[in-house]
Amino acid sequence: MDTRIDLFTTETGSRLAKRFASLGQVIDRSPLPKRTQELVNLRVSQINGCGWCLDMHAKEAAAAGESAVRLALVAAWRESTVFSEAERAALALAEEGTRLADAAEGVSDETWARVREHYDDEQVAALVALVALINAANRLAVIAHQKGGSYEPGMFEAFAERG
């Protein structure tokens, strides 16, 4: 399937992308660890099948020094030993927050309690917003058939700073 529309080249799409980038910068500047942010972005994008976002976040994480082993094991984080308990809690919240239709309660009380053991209010606010934002970005890219493979680290940030 070809890309249906390049959202970055339309006026409306460009304005929306800049707003997404602004929200992303708020999260990026939060006290939620950057490594955790990228792991969450990757896991949610895997669940949603978003090649564009997987490409972007895998390359951004690698450029920031994330190991190839951890990047490869995000999809199987429960069966891996390379993630901290805090990262595991964030990944569980990301999965449950992404698969809302699969569980009547959404994010379980057990997962929420694990998240609260590891993250303060500021970090939790950023984590919840991050899960919502990456889900929205995934949906935009999947609907438009934005393809992964051509992203270069820093490209989205540079786009957001233009104009």
Side-chain angles (χ1 to χ4, degrees):
M1 289 184 257
D2 291 332
T3 300
R4 291 175 171 158
I5 184 171
D6 183 348
L7 294 172
F8 295 102
T9 61
T10 68
E11 182 180 341
T12 299
S14 179
R15 289 173 37 209
L16 287 168
K18 288 179 184 185
R19 296 328 182 270
F20 265 78
S22 293
L23 289 170
Q25 288 174 339
V26 171
I27 296 166
D28 190 50
R29 293 177 183 142
S30 78
L32 184 65
K34 183 65 174 158
R35 290 176 72 163
T36 302
Q37 292 178 38
E38 290 301 349
L39 294 174
V40 165
N41 283 329
L42 284 170
R43 185 63 192 126
V44 171
S45 298
Q46 289 169 341
I47 292 167
N48 290 326
C50 183
W52 172 258
C53 294
L54 279 168
D55 186 33
M56 176 191 312
H57 293 292
K59 289 174 179 174
E60 290 290 354
E66 187 60 81
S67 76
V69 170
R70 283 170 45 95
L71 292 175
L73 290 174
V74 170
W77 63 270
R78 284 183 182 84
E79 292 79 31
S80 304
T81 61
V82 298
F83 303 105
S84 70
E85 287 303 313
E87 291 167 337
R88 297 169 78 73
L91 288 165
L93 180 118
E95 285 190 3
E96 291 176 23
T98 297
R99 294 182 166 142
L100 293 174
D102 296 344
E105 67 180 314
V107 175
S108 70
D109 290 340
E110 177 185 342
T111 295
W112 188 258
R114 286 190 4 237
V115 165
R116 295 305 294 182
E117 286 175 20
H118 299 284
Y119 299 101
D120 65 24
D121 288 349
E122 294 297 319
Q123 292 170 315
V124 170
L127 180 58
V128 169
L130 176 63
V131 171
L133 185 64
I134 190 61
N135 269 285
N138 289 167
R139 281 151 177 75
L140 287 170
V142 169
I143 291 167
H145 290 175
Q146 295 282 142
K147 303 291 186 216
S150 63
Y151 185 82
E152 296 295 329
M155 194 168 109
F156 189 68
E157 187 175 315
F159 168 79
E161 292 172 357
R162 277 191 275 148

